[in-house]
Amino acid sequence: FQEKFSTDKKHLITSAKYRLYVKDGDREVDVIDYHPIELANNNNYFLVHTMDLIPNNYYVDISVSTGRELMYFKNVLRFEVVSNITERYQ
């Protein structure tokens, strides 16, 4: 994890988690509740098998723990799963 507006300053984190959800009006419905992000030597990542998801708009939140501080980042990522590959390119 990097400091905002910087390419070389890194933050030491103790844990990071992601949450995948869909929106139903004003409600947020969890598809995957907070799940650990893999912490590798040079990067951090998580894998989502989109073949298991129904067509919809999906959103990702991130939770990061740095010692005694817990930070939440809302709507870090948004993606859409479509039912037909030809719909993507129209």
Side-chain angles (χ1 to χ4, degrees), residues 1 9 22 30 33 36 44 62 72:
F1 287 87
K9 292 185 181 179
V22 295
D30 286 344
D33 199 11
N44 306 303
I62 302 287
Y72 292 97

Side-chain angles (χ1 to χ4, degrees), residues 1 13 15-21 30-39 44-50 52-53 58-65 70-77 79:
F1 287 87
I13 60 168
S15 71
K17 297 179 181 181
Y18 74 97
R19 169 184 171 234
L20 181 68
Y21 63 96
D30 286 344
V31 176
I32 300 174
D33 199 11
Y34 280 104
H35 193 74
I37 292 176
E38 300 297 328
L39 305 175
N44 306 303
Y45 66 94
F46 60 91
L47 302 174
V48 176
H49 298 282
T50 56
D52 299 335
L53 302 176
Y58 291 85
Y59 303 87
V60 175
D61 290 351
I62 302 287
S63 166
V64 177
S65 175
L70 184 60
M71 297 177 287
Y72 292 97
F73 301 96
K74 297 283 291 176
N75 295 327
V76 173
L77 174 68
F79 64 93

